[in-house]
Amino acid sequence: MEHNVSLFQYEFMLRALIGALIIGLAAPALGIYLVQRRLALIGDGIGHVALTGVGAGLLFQTSPVIMAVIAATIGAIAIELIRERGRTSGDLALALLFYGGIAGGVVLVGLSDSTSANLNAYLFGALTTTSRSDLVTIAVLGAAVLIAMIALRPALFAVCHDEEYARVSGLPVRGLNLLLAITTAVTVTIAMRAVGVLLISALMVVPVATAQQVTRGFRATMAAAMVLGLFAAGAGVWLAAVADTAPGASVVVLAIASFIVVTLLAAGWRRIRRARPEPEPAPEPHEVLLGGS
């Protein structure tokens, strides 16, 4: 055990832990808005489009991360405009992103001289290979996403809860929707390094679903989801160091395990409360007087 814990004395493990904690905090802060809008799986679709950008970066020997940000942003804006105009259903637009994005990424990676290991690093994450520049990018973009989600919470909640009411209230609905789309693309891109494009949505959605089991109100759910995201990210990296497993998969497994445990405990608590006998109502004042006379 001491040997496993000492792994965090290495700089690459420390960078992995810090990167995971930043993503674990930012992803649920954004994910709660996506869940509110019933777009829980949009992260998967945008992640697959980001994979096309990765393939383009490897093919043209440019930064895969920068190309992924560009591709993911274009894909996120496109799906938002499609949804807004109502020309096709959200499910169909997501399906087009899913299949077109991953197919384009695989084709472009195949055309480049990269090995399958490079593709797997983006599909399943490669957190322990995070460099100092990667960590700076994750920190800056993660902080920007987190600040935007917290500072604009009232306006974003209004748009996600009732878009027509938000529009009548004078809020810039299109601008806020595009902001959500762009921040989703940014979050997906920085989370690629931690959990990979195939597991991105889990980190944005599962902590939110877990928090909803035990909280009431949007603000409390958001705070609880961020705490749960931090726990899953930190404990997932620790588990990966101890058990020699993939960090990204370990983070997601712990997030899902937390959801199962919290759901069972919440269901048990509700059953106990229902089984408790209701206290007898206190006698009215006139009944006390009559009984004592």
Side-chain angles (χ1 to χ4, degrees), residues 268-285:
W269 175 247
R270 287 192 293 267
R271 180 174 297 181
I272 292 173
R273 291 187 63 183
R274 286 196 299 266
R276 285 179 178 176
E278 295 185 2
E280 295 183 2
E284 296 293 333

Side-chain angles (χ1 to χ4, degrees), residues 9 12 14 22 37 103 109 114 161 175 184 250 261 269 281:
Q9 296 178 0
F12 77 95
L14 194 58
I22 294 171
R37 297 182 66 184
V109 171
S114 301
H161 183 68
T184 301
S250 300
V261 171
W269 175 247

Side-chain angles (χ1 to χ4, degrees), residues 184-211:
T184 301
V186 170
T187 304
V188 165
T189 305
I190 63 174
M192 262 195 322
R193 176 65 71 178
V195 296
V197 297
L198 298 182
L199 300 172
I200 284 173
S201 279
L203 202 54
M204 291 195 287
V205 173
V206 175
V208 177
T210 306

